[in-house]
Amino acid sequence: MKIKDQIEEALRQKAIPEKAAFFPRFFKTGKGEYGEGDLFLGVTVPEQRIIAKKYWKDLPDQELEIMIKSPFHEVRLTSILILVLKFQKATSNAEKKSWVDFYLKNRSWVNNWDLVDSSAHLILGDYLFDKDRSILYDLAKSGILWDQRIGIMSTFYFIRKKDFTDTLKIAEILLHHPHDLIHKAVGWMIREVGNRDFETANQFLLKHYQSMPRTMLRYAIEKFDVDAKAFFMKKD
C-alpha cells in the first residue's frame, strides 16, 4: 500500500461522523460560499498532526502532490502539515527553496483559511525573511482570495521577528478588500504587531481606522484597553 493510502486510511479511522456533518457548515461549503464543494471526513486537527508526524519522512513527493489535490479537506490539510515538516527539516537552502516552489505551484489547493494559516508563515514567511519579499505584494494584489490571505499571513513570521514593515504595507493594500476573511486576517496581523509594539500598531490605526472595515478594526484592537477601543470604534 502506498504511503498516501496509509495516511488516508489512518484519517478515515479517526473520522467522527458528527464532525463530518458539522464541518461543511463551519467552513462555508454551500453554493456561492468561499468553501463551496469542499468535502470532509470529520477528523480533528490534533489527530491530523499526529498522523502527519508519523508519516512525513516516508511520503514521496509525488504522493504528497496527489494528496494536496484531494477533494477531502482533511487530506489536503494533512498534506500541508507534512509539507511544513518537510520544509522545516530541510538541511539546505536549495531543499527549502524546492519546498517553497512546491507550495507556490500547488497553492490553488491551499484554499481555505485554516490551510493558509497552517502554512503561509511557516513556509513562505520563513523562507523570505532574509530575501526579496516582492512575491507577497504580488499575491496581495492578485485579486485571488486565498493568494491574498497567503500574502498577509506570510508576514506573521516577520512579526514574530519584530519586523513589521511588510505587514503594514500589505495591510494598506488590502485595507478595502470586500471579503471578511481578509478583514479578519489583516486585523489579526495588526493585533499581533500591537502585541509586540503597541505604538506602531496604534499609529497605523490612527491613520486608517476611519475607513477600515469594522471587522478588521475589531480584530486589530481586541487587546486594547476599554478607552482605546471606545475611541477607535466611534470612528467619527
Side-chain angles (χ1 to χ4, degrees):
M1 183 184 291
K2 292 182 177 180
I3 301 298
K4 75 174 186 63
D5 296 329
Q6 295 178 43
I7 292 170
E8 291 184 24
E9 179 58 28
L11 289 169
R12 291 180 187 281
Q13 289 179 4
K14 295 297 182 179
I16 303 169
E18 293 80 7
K19 296 287 186 184
F22 169 72
F23 285 156
R25 298 192 301 275
F26 183 71
F27 286 102
K28 306 295 185 184
T29 63
K31 186 173 178 59
E33 294 183 308
Y34 61 75
E36 181 177 354
D38 210 353
L39 302 176
F40 291 84
L41 298 170
V43 186
T44 65
V45 174
E47 291 291 355
Q48 291 177 68
R49 290 191 183 279
I50 291 169
I51 291 167
K53 287 178 181 177
K54 179 177 179 180
Y55 289 101
W56 75 269
K57 287 183 181 178
D58 298 323
L59 182 67
D61 301 0
Q62 301 92 329
E63 293 183 29
L64 178 62
E65 190 159 14
I66 293 170
M67 283 183 61
I68 206 170
K69 297 176 181 179
S70 172
F72 288 98
H73 189 101
E74 294 95 334
V75 175
R76 296 202 309 284
L77 179 53
T78 302
S79 73
I80 288 166
L81 296 174
I82 289 172
L83 177 57
V84 169
L85 288 168
K86 285 180 177 289
F87 172 83
Q88 291 176 333
K89 302 296 184 181
T91 56
S92 69
N93 193 61
E95 188 180 359
K96 284 184 178 292
K97 184 180 185 301
S98 72
W99 290 122
V100 170
D101 291 344
F102 180 98
Y103 182 69
L104 291 171
K105 175 187 172 186
N106 291 286
R107 70 183 187 277
S108 61
W109 302 95
V110 186
N111 57 356
N112 215 310
W113 57 265
D114 60 325
L115 307 180
V116 172
D117 299 356
S118 298
S119 59
H121 64 296
L122 296 172
I123 298 175
L124 199 52
D126 183 336
Y127 182 73
L128 294 176
F129 183 66
D130 59 354
K131 299 175 183 65
D132 178 77
R133 303 173 183 179
S134 57
I135 188 173
L136 300 183
Y137 293 82
D138 295 339
L139 292 169
K141 295 173 183 176
S142 68
I144 300 169
L145 176 64
W146 304 119
D147 280 4
Q148 291 171 308
R149 188 157 175 129
I150 288 171
I152 187 65
M153 287 305 302
S154 293
T155 71
F156 195 8
Y157 186 89
F158 311 156
I159 293 170
R160 288 175 167 174
K161 300 290 187 178
K162 298 187 177 180
D163 178 351
F164 311 129
T165 302
D166 293 290
T167 299
L168 299 180
K169 286 182 178 179
I170 293 172
E172 287 185 323
I173 292 170
L174 298 173
L175 200 64
H176 304 295
H177 195 282
H179 205 291
D180 72 337
L181 284 176
I182 299 299
H183 302 170
K184 291 174 181 178
V186 172
W188 175 14
M189 291 303 99
I190 295 169
R191 183 177 75 230
E192 292 294 338
V193 171
N195 287 344
R196 293 157 178 83
D197 185 336
F198 172 81
E199 192 54 35
T200 294
N202 190 54
Q203 288 301 314
F204 180 88
L205 290 168
L206 286 171
K207 181 179 179 181
H208 295 294
Y209 79 99
Q210 289 184 313
S211 63
M212 289 174 76
R214 302 289 280 188
T215 297
M216 186 185 295
L217 183 57
R218 287 193 185 98
Y219 270 63
I221 65 174
E222 185 178 7
K223 300 290 182 67
F224 283 20
D225 64 36
V226 173
D227 291 340
K229 283 183 180 179
F231 169 80
F232 281 114
M233 291 308 295
K234 188 176 179 182
K235 291 191 71 166
D236 51 37

